Amino acid sequence: MKFLKSYFILLITVISIKLGAQDRTVDSLKQVLTITKNDTVRLKSEAMLAELLQIYRISKWDSIVKDAIALNQIDIAADGYNNLGYLYQNSNSYIDAIKCYDLSIKLHTQQKNTKDACFSLYNKACCYKFFNKYNEAISYYQLAIKYSQTIAYREVESYCYNDLSIIYGFKGNIPLSINMIEKAIKIQESIKDYVGMGASYSTLASIYYYQNDLKKAEEIYHQCLIIYQREKYEKGISLIYANIGTINFQNGNFSLALDNLLKSTAIRNKQKDLMGVSDNFNTIGKIYFAIDSIKKGKIYYEKALAIKKKINDNKGLISTYNALANLELNNNNFMLAIDYATKANITSQQIGFASGIQQSNLNLYLINKKIGRHEKALKNYELYITMRDSLLNNETKKATIKSQLKYEYEKKAAADSVKVAEEKKLTTIKLKQEKTQRYFLYGGLGLTALFGMFMFNRFKVTQKQKNIINQQKNIVETQKNIVDEKQKEILDSIRYAKRIQQSLLPTEKFIGRVLNKKNN
């Protein structure tokens, strides 16, 4: 038991290590696999190691899932089926991918892992979108939204809205596309999902791009770039560099366009993002074609075409086919141009890609007109106009502007409501403080009044005592005067008696003379 316990502790330690120390994590997992004899620990280590090393092989994950089921490790089996679904999806095996996602949903639900089940449901919707089955994708995205709202899984809810926006954009329903992306952005702002917000802003910019509002699109792309650079999200950074480069190209700034696209390609090569690299090659080919370097442009188109065929990127193929059709038209290789434009048109109609249908029919119109097939050229032109109007008619533009203004107004209104609430809160606090101050003031005034009454009462008592003292003083002074008068009368009487006595007695001189006479 001690031996088994030590490996569980090691496994938990490995799980807790940050992604920045991935090399040490891999080494630790390999060490666990080397020395552990416990099947459960080994299975968990293998699954973690496969994730870290991005071992995206169907056989590898199929083995992990089978072992997980045998050991009753249902959580690992559910995650394994989710990874298998992704692998089958990218191997263009539609039925197997859907089957694996369904099994992942079922197992996560059995284990009551509601968030994981919701995420697998979202992945199933993404699978339908990947295979251009838009109606099924819309249904499952809506189901995932309801599920995510039930369990408050707001990240997945925002992802669903973002993807729905892309689908509705492909289908040419711009107002609904805008509505979906606004919902996604509002959720991402509320939960501070900045990477998700960057993706949603990127989608919004793409909508403006397809509405030919390049200035607005570039402005929003730069906002995305700031977010992605702050979050150090390289995949997003590479995407935005590519999109800005495309706008630079359409604005005629070829040097800046190449600079941005090369920055993007460097990151995508590093990440082995084949689809992204092929998209960049496609745009670089257009730039060289625009500056009359047709040979170099064709080289990049063919590089892009080879990658897109390899990874089954149908929407990317449409763009490259149309680019090659335009290039061969300018080289007067009309049959080859028709072949590329027809492939673009057929693929666009198969997946319901409105923009692709528009561009391919424009190319077919120009080619057929050039070689004198006027009837076919007219049909191509009519279809081109129909698709163009569906994407760029005035009502659509008005809906886009109105929806954007509505979003900005609601955002401002929300900010204002917060501001008003804060002001109201401050006002309430201020009124409460003023009320408290008034109470203190009233209390102070009351105390002052009481003190005044007390002082007035003391003054009256003091005044009364003073009057009594004055009266007593007057009595004493009166009595003193009477005594003085009596004393004066007595003294006067004594003086009067003394004078009488002195008048009756002989004086000293008289006595002296008498004595002198007797002596003689």
Side-chain angles (χ1 to χ4, degrees):
M1 284 300 293
K2 287 184 178 180
F3 184 72
L4 179 60
K5 184 177 180 182
S6 66
Y7 289 115
F8 271 112
I9 293 172
L10 177 57
L11 184 62
I12 293 169
T13 303
V14 168
I15 295 172
S16 66
I17 296 175
K18 294 183 178 180
L19 290 176
Q22 181 171 318
D23 291 340
R24 284 185 289 131
T25 308
V26 169
D27 291 340
S28 299
L29 284 168
K30 286 180 178 178
Q31 184 181 0
V32 172
L33 289 170
T34 301
I35 60 179
T36 186
K37 295 180 180 179
N38 182 270
D39 291 335
T40 300
V41 176
R42 174 177 290 278
L43 175 63
K44 290 181 178 180
S45 299
E46 285 181 352
M48 289 176 61
L49 190 61
E51 290 284 358
L52 286 173
L53 296 179
Q54 296 184 343
I55 303 174
Y56 292 139
R57 293 199 303 270
I58 291 176
S59 59
K60 178 67 176 179
W61 280 105
D62 188 57
S63 173
I64 289 174
V65 168
K66 288 178 181 177
D67 289 344
I69 292 173
L71 293 170
N72 200 32
Q73 298 291 327
I74 305 302
D75 285 343
I76 295 177
D79 290 336
Y81 275 127
N82 196 62
N83 289 327
L84 273 172
Y86 175 78
L87 294 175
Y88 280 123
Q89 175 180 313
N90 284 277
S91 298
N92 210 28
S93 182
Y94 160 72
I95 295 175
D96 289 328
I98 294 298
K99 181 181 176 181
C100 286
Y101 286 133
D102 283 337
L103 286 170
S104 178
I105 294 167
K106 180 181 177 181
L107 293 179
H108 279 311
T109 303
Q110 286 178 358
Q111 295 296 108
K112 297 182 180 180
N113 294 331
T114 53
K115 284 196 171 184
D116 289 336
C118 183
F119 195 77
S120 294
L121 181 60
Y122 163 74
N123 285 338
K124 183 178 178 180
C126 292
C127 183
Y128 281 118
K129 172 175 168 284
F130 182 85
F131 287 103
N132 305 310
K133 297 182 179 296
Y134 292 144
N135 292 334
E136 292 88 344
I138 289 170
S139 296
Y140 277 96
Y141 278 128
Q142 290 173 342
L143 184 60
I145 287 170
K146 289 181 181 178
Y147 197 176
S148 61
Q149 288 175 340
T150 302
I151 62 174
Y153 197 0
R154 306 217 72 196
E155 292 91 343
V156 166
E157 184 183 356
S158 68
Y159 300 158
C160 291
Y161 283 130
N162 195 1
D163 289 358
L164 281 171
S165 176
I166 294 170
I167 292 174
Y168 288 126
F170 285 149
K171 293 172 75 69
N173 192 337
I174 304 303
L176 190 53
S177 179
I178 290 279
N179 179 261
M180 292 294 104
I181 205 63
E182 287 171 357
K183 289 183 178 181
I185 291 172
K186 286 179 182 178
I187 293 171
Q188 288 151 356
E189 285 178 338
S190 67
I191 63 176
K192 297 183 179 4
D193 179 10
Y194 299 114
V195 172
M197 194 186 304
S200 294
Y201 274 120
S202 180
T203 302
L204 182 63
S206 298
I207 294 170
Y208 279 101
Y209 171 80
Y210 284 111
Q211 291 292 297
N212 286 333
D213 190 346
L214 301 184
K215 183 178 179 181
K216 184 69 174 178
E218 186 175 6
E219 177 186 325
I220 298 173
Y221 279 136
H222 278 292
Q223 292 177 1
C224 300
L225 185 60
I226 291 170
I227 293 172
Y228 285 150
Q229 287 175 334
R230 185 182 65 215
E231 298 299 314
K232 297 180 180 179
Y233 181 49
E234 287 196 334
K235 186 174 181 180
I237 293 170
S238 67
L239 173 65
I240 299 305
Y241 274 136
N243 290 338
I244 294 174
T246 301
I247 293 175
N248 295 148
F249 161 64
Q250 294 192 344
N251 285 331
N253 195 337
F254 302 133
S255 176
L256 188 57
L258 278 172
D259 181 57
N260 281 314
L261 284 161
L262 290 173
K263 286 180 182 177
S264 173
T265 304
I267 298 172
R268 286 175 166 176
N269 275 323
K270 178 183 173 184
Q271 296 183 329
K272 299 181 180 179
D273 178 7
L274 295 179
M275 183 179 290
V277 171
S278 66
D279 287 340
N280 288 356
F281 284 161
N282 205 49
T283 308
I284 292 171
K286 290 180 181 179
I287 294 171
Y288 282 116
F289 178 70
I291 58 178
D292 294 329
S293 182
I294 295 176
K295 185 177 180 181
K296 202 166 185 179
K298 188 173 181 178
I299 290 172
Y300 276 98
Y301 284 149
E302 289 175 344
K303 284 183 177 181
L305 189 65
I307 296 173
K308 290 182 182 303
K309 284 181 177 179
K310 181 180 178 180
I311 63 176
N312 298 310
D313 179 14
N314 288 328
K315 284 189 286 292
L317 277 172
I318 292 167
S319 178
T320 306
Y321 281 141
N322 276 320
L324 282 165
N326 191 35
L327 183 145
E328 297 300 347
L329 172 61
N330 280 270
N331 275 342
N332 293 321
N333 295 326
F334 301 122
M335 291 301 102
L336 192 54
I338 286 177
D339 181 56
Y340 283 130
T342 302
K343 287 179 179 178
N345 189 34
I346 292 171
T347 308
S348 297
Q349 290 182 4
Q350 285 175 346
I351 68 173
F353 188 25
S355 180
I357 296 172
Q358 176 194 350
Q359 186 60 45
S360 59
N361 275 278
L362 176 61
N363 284 334
L364 285 169
Y365 158 70
L366 294 172
I367 298 166
N368 285 319
K369 180 182 178 183
K370 190 85 173 178
I371 62 178
R373 296 178 179 178
H374 300 297
E375 186 176 347
K376 289 185 176 181
L378 179 60
K379 289 181 180 179
N380 293 134
Y381 185 74
E382 287 174 348
L383 188 53
Y384 158 70
I385 291 297
T386 300
M387 299 311 298
R388 185 197 66 180
D389 289 346
S390 70
L391 291 171
L392 299 175
N393 62 56
N394 290 331
E395 289 302 316
T396 301
K397 284 190 174 182
K398 287 179 182 178
T400 303
I401 295 169
K402 181 179 178 182
S403 185
Q404 177 66 10
L405 290 173
K406 178 185 175 186
Y407 169 68
E408 291 175 354
Y409 170 78
E410 288 177 352
K411 187 175 180 180
K412 184 177 184 301
D416 289 342
S417 65
V418 172
K419 184 178 179 182
V420 169
E422 289 296 325
E423 290 177 350
K424 186 176 180 181
K425 185 178 179 181
L426 290 173
T427 302
T428 303
I429 294 171
K430 188 175 180 181
L431 288 173
K432 189 175 181 180
Q433 289 176 342
E434 290 177 353
K435 189 175 181 180
T436 303
Q437 290 173 353
R438 282 200 300 272
Y439 285 150
F440 277 115
L441 178 62
Y442 295 153
L445 290 173
L447 289 173
T448 303
L450 288 172
F451 183 75
M453 291 174 64
F454 173 78
M455 292 302 296
F456 179 73
N457 184 59
R458 293 301 304 164
F459 172 77
K460 287 182 68 178
V461 171
T462 304
Q463 194 67 27
K464 185 176 180 181
Q465 290 175 343
K466 185 178 179 182
N467 290 335
I468 293 171
I469 291 170
N470 287 335
Q471 288 175 1
Q472 291 176 347
K473 183 179 178 182
N474 290 334
I475 293 170
V476 171
E477 287 178 353
T478 302
Q479 290 176 345
K480 182 183 176 185
N481 290 334
I482 293 171
V483 171
D484 289 340
E485 287 293 330
K486 292 294 184 180
Q487 186 177 6
K488 184 179 180 185
E489 287 179 359
I490 293 168
L491 290 172
D492 288 341
S493 298
I494 293 170
R495 291 191 191 101
Y496 180 73
K498 184 178 179 181
R499 284 197 298 270
I500 293 174
Q501 184 180 9
Q502 288 177 347
S503 64
L504 294 176
L505 292 174
T507 64
E508 291 179 354
K509 291 180 178 180
F510 176 76
I511 294 172
R513 284 196 304 270
V514 171
L515 289 174
N516 287 331
K517 286 180 177 181
K518 284 184 177 183
N519 290 328
N520 293 327

